[in-house]
Amino acid sequence: MNEASTATGGPPGITRRTALAAMTAAGVSAAGLARAQGASDYPNKPIRVVVTFPPGGSADAVFRLLVPRLSEKLGQPVIVDNRPGAGGNVGMSLVAKAPNDGYTLGLGAAGALSANVSLYEQMPFDVQRDLKPVAMLAGIPFVLVGHPSVEQRSLKALIERAKSAPDKLSIAHGGNGTAMHLSSALFMQMAGIKLVEVAYRGSGPAALDTLGGQVPLAIVDLPASLQQIQAGKLIAYAVTGTQRVPTLPEVPTMAEAGLPGYDSTGWFGIVAPAGTPDAIVSRLNAEINAGLRDEQTRASMNAMGVAAAPGTPAQFASYIASETTKWATVIRTARIKLD
């Protein structure tokens, strides 16, 4: 194989230097050629995915369902690198600063990709400038639950009790600045009530203390509460998304239960550093979507209370933008700030 075919894939007699000179004359840089060549043989080494959550969480578990298939289809190992911290900012800042060659990706959620810009005084990256949406993975509706000792059994009755005795009821959530925290703030704003918020380090501990009666109410994710709800150990007042969930078909949405227009869903997806070639993003998007549409994968996700959300990079970008605007209003109204 001669220099021409090795470097450019073109006909014999056209060297890499000649091709570069011609492309430069046409206004195409050497870096542009390198990116094009990199996209054409992508991937040719392992791909690292920085997951902005600790192992065992919903987002981490969902992505690990996709890893074997992605590794097989892409022909290279897909390596999960858990980097939690600062609401996802720690891991996502690594992605934002990584080379834009498709070999470092990030799994981020509503916090790092939409809410944190309004929660933190300073951000280590700019979502619009430094990141490129690849594919949304899934949405996780939360659920408002209560200990069985709470007499009210409907959302309307619960709201009436809270209105009659402000600051007397406590509500747990999975941590300051989390999507569950923001869901709680949105609930109070739309219902016109004031509850005492109790922050926990994750959905699991919040659900556990509600189960034990230490707090009467909580907004938690479904994986942390599904079994207790189905066993009758927790009251499920409403799910926070716009649709009922298959695993709890009898539980209404917040809108159905008395708060029209309420919508708060935890979500997460894959992003790449800005400037990653479109060809690479398209390849990744296609393989991720194929994995999300796999029947076995969807069944495993449904059992966790998670809904697959395949779509295009443009759709994911639009969703991030709309969520950023929405949560900015909620955060400003609730006067939530994090250091």
Side-chain angles (χ1 to χ4, degrees), residues 23-214:
M23 293 183 76
T24 301
V28 181
S29 67
L33 175 63
R35 283 195 296 271
Q37 290 175 328
S40 67
D41 66 353
Y42 176 85
N44 57 28
K45 62 181 180 180
I47 299 167
R48 177 176 69 138
V49 180
V50 177
V51 175
T52 59
F53 300 94
S58 300
D60 178 80
V62 167
F63 184 67
R64 287 179 189 272
L65 289 175
L66 298 174
V67 166
R69 181 189 178 98
L70 288 176
S71 297
E72 177 187 357
K73 296 297 182 180
L74 293 171
Q76 293 290 337
V78 174
I79 300 168
V80 175
D81 183 5
N82 295 93
R83 297 294 185 99
N89 285 353
V90 171
M92 202 51 64
S93 63
L94 295 176
V95 178
K97 297 170 185 175
N100 55 4
D101 54 9
Y103 292 100
T104 299
L105 307 173
L107 190 159
L113 297 179
S114 67
N116 285 2
V117 67
S118 297
L119 289 168
Y120 289 85
E121 290 292 340
Q122 292 185 329
M123 287 283 287
F125 60 90
D126 183 298
V127 173
Q128 299 297 322
R129 182 192 65 213
D130 300 329
L131 298 171
K132 188 170 186 175
V134 174
M136 188 165 171
L137 295 183
I140 305 179
F142 303 117
V143 57
L144 174 62
V145 297
H147 186 267
S149 63
V150 179
E151 295 179 2
Q152 291 72 27
R153 289 295 188 267
S154 72
L155 185 67
K156 286 185 177 180
L158 188 66
I159 291 172
E160 287 304 314
R161 176 182 172 183
K163 285 181 176 179
S164 67
D167 290 320
K168 297 299 182 183
L169 274 176
S170 299
I171 185 167
H173 57 67
N176 289 329
T178 63
M180 289 165 282
H181 180 194
L182 301 184
S183 298
S184 174
L186 181 62
F187 170 48
M188 288 189 287
Q189 288 174 22
M190 293 188 66
I193 59 177
K194 186 70 171 68
L195 304 174
V196 178
E197 294 184 282
V198 184
Y200 284 80
R201 289 183 175 272
S203 191
L208 189 62
D209 266 14
T210 309
L211 183 67
Q214 281 80 9

Side-chain angles (χ1 to χ4, degrees), residues 57-59 61-62 65 140 221-224 226 247 299-306:
S58 300
V62 167
L65 289 175
I140 305 179
D221 64 26
L222 282 175
L226 183 59
T247 47
S300 297
M301 292 173 67
N302 287 339
M304 296 166 59
V306 177

Side-chain angles (χ1 to χ4, degrees), residues 110 138-142 179 183 240-242 263-267 319 323 326-327:
I140 305 179
F142 303 117
S183 298
T240 63
T242 58
D263 177 21
S264 178
T265 302
W267 53 267
Y319 187 70
E323 286 283 283
K326 168 185 171 180
W327 290 121

